[in-house]
Amino acid sequence: MAKKSKKQQTGGTPATVALTAAGVAHTVHAYDHDPAHPSYGEEAAEAMGVSPDRVFKTLVADVDGALTVAVVPVSGTLNLKALAAAVGGKRAVMADPALAERTTGYVRGGISPLGQRKRLRTVLDDSAAAHGTICVSAGRRGLEVELAPADLAALTEAVLAPIGRG
């Protein structure tokens, strides 16, 4: 993976601004998004040449009436029961996409766990801890940010829990 200097970085999204402001080491990866691709996350993994186990998707769910962010590998799916349990809830369902977009300030396929308009409680799949760095959306389609899972967890105040299914 090619590292980009700050001058070469493509960005300026709320997510990249938050990372820079926090002084967190990160690398921004830009690629040409194909609107016809069936999976935003798999497209990102392919475009960057990164294992889908290291590229994480950001999903917004409704847990007992409260929007909650789930960050899971693109190689798997979200276990809604496990997500609810991770935050002490009883029931989780996927949030309405329009509500997720309005609340986070990002568009579907570009929702980042960082720099959201309204900070939502966040759960990061515990498989992230097995990697030195992971990639998450940097706030728009075709833009990913690579950072240490511990930094992502600290910045989002995320709970680490087994919420993904492979």
Side-chain angles (χ1 to χ4, degrees):
M1 250 182 285
K3 299 285 182 187
K4 295 182 179 180
S5 72
K6 288 191 182 210
K7 287 184 179 181
Q8 292 173 309
Q9 287 181 353
T10 306
T13 67
T16 60
V17 169
L19 285 166
T20 301
V24 170
H26 64 283
T27 303
V28 176
H29 300 275
Y31 61 92
D32 291 328
H33 166 62
D34 176 4
H37 201 289
S39 167
Y40 297 117
E42 288 175 14
E43 176 190 26
E46 291 167 10
M48 295 185 301
V50 174
S51 166
D53 293 339
R54 282 191 46 230
V55 179
F56 283 63
K57 56 189 168 186
T58 306
L59 303 171
V60 181
D62 179 320
V63 180
D64 298 335
L67 291 182
T68 303
V69 170
V71 185
V72 296
V74 302
S75 59
T77 59
L78 171 62
N79 179 332
L80 288 165
K81 280 184 134 174
L83 175 64
V87 294
K90 293 182 181 176
R91 184 170 181 269
V93 296
M94 293 307 297
D96 172 68
L99 178 60
E101 289 180 344
R102 276 194 314 274
T103 305
T104 64
Y106 294 118
V107 297
R108 224 175 97 219
I111 294 177
S112 179
L114 299 158
Q116 297 174 352
R117 180 178 291 149
K118 178 182 179 195
R119 182 181 227 167
L120 300 175
R121 64 184 171 177
T122 302
V123 181
L124 175 60
D125 185 66
D126 62 358
S127 69
H131 305 287
T133 60
I134 61 171
C135 298
V136 296
S137 176
R140 70 172 178 250
R141 296 172 188 153
L143 197 65
E144 292 282 310
V145 65
E146 181 178 355
L147 73 165
D151 289 336
L152 177 63
L155 283 174
T156 60
E157 298 178 7
V159 172
L160 261 67
I163 60 169
R165 287 193 274 234

